[in-house]
Amino acid sequence: MSGKKRRLTIIECGCDINMMIDLAKAADLGAKLFYLSGMVHGEYQNHEIHNLGRFITVVKFRPLTWQTSHPYVLADRMEDLTNPEDIRTSMKCDWQVLLYGYLRGAHLKSKNQIHMAAILLL
């Protein structure tokens, strides 16, 4: 929580420039970069988290024009519904993927093609 009416989701990003660019498209604070020095015993350092929280509480959120004019989905969970036998016989078969998350920006119309970035299928 960052205030009485503002909830936050913090997404940790790896050291991959493509991943950073994809996350910046969906981030409300994509103009700022926070570097955390790393985890100590499985936890981030308290003073770094304190500084990050202090910045978030005072910053003014300004929506980017790209975000308000384009629909985008921030998925936090994915389920593969494709028949494993179809995948075994042909990797180029039509896959059925179920995404759970948030739709942001403009309305997403049915039959629109979408670009799925940073997906890792195991």
Side-chain angles (χ1 to χ4, degrees), residues 49-113:
I49 299 301
H50 179 73
N51 290 341
L52 174 61
R54 186 179 333 157
F55 172 79
I56 290 173
T57 57
V58 298
V59 72
K60 294 188 188 286
F61 288 83
R62 293 183 180 97
L64 302 173
T65 57
W66 186 91
Q67 288 179 338
T68 56
S69 62
H70 293 81
Y72 61 98
V73 175
L74 180 61
D76 60 3
R77 187 169 57 122
M78 177 186 89
E79 290 183 19
D80 184 8
L81 302 177
T82 312
N83 185 356
E85 183 63 24
D86 292 343
I87 298 171
R88 190 185 68 75
T89 57
S90 172
M91 284 293 291
K92 294 186 177 183
C93 67
D94 288 337
W95 288 43
Q96 294 181 357
V97 178
L98 185 60
L99 299 174
Y100 294 89
Y102 309 96
L103 175 65
R104 307 277 307 269
H107 295 289
L108 185 65
K109 299 178 181 92
S110 63
K111 306 290 184 183
N112 274 10
Q113 293 185 351

Side-chain angles (χ1 to χ4, degrees), residues 6-19:
R6 189 185 320 176
R7 293 177 184 232
L8 302 173
T9 301
I10 297 176
I11 301 173
E12 188 173 6
C13 180
C15 292
D16 177 24
I17 190 67
N18 295 322
M19 187 184 308

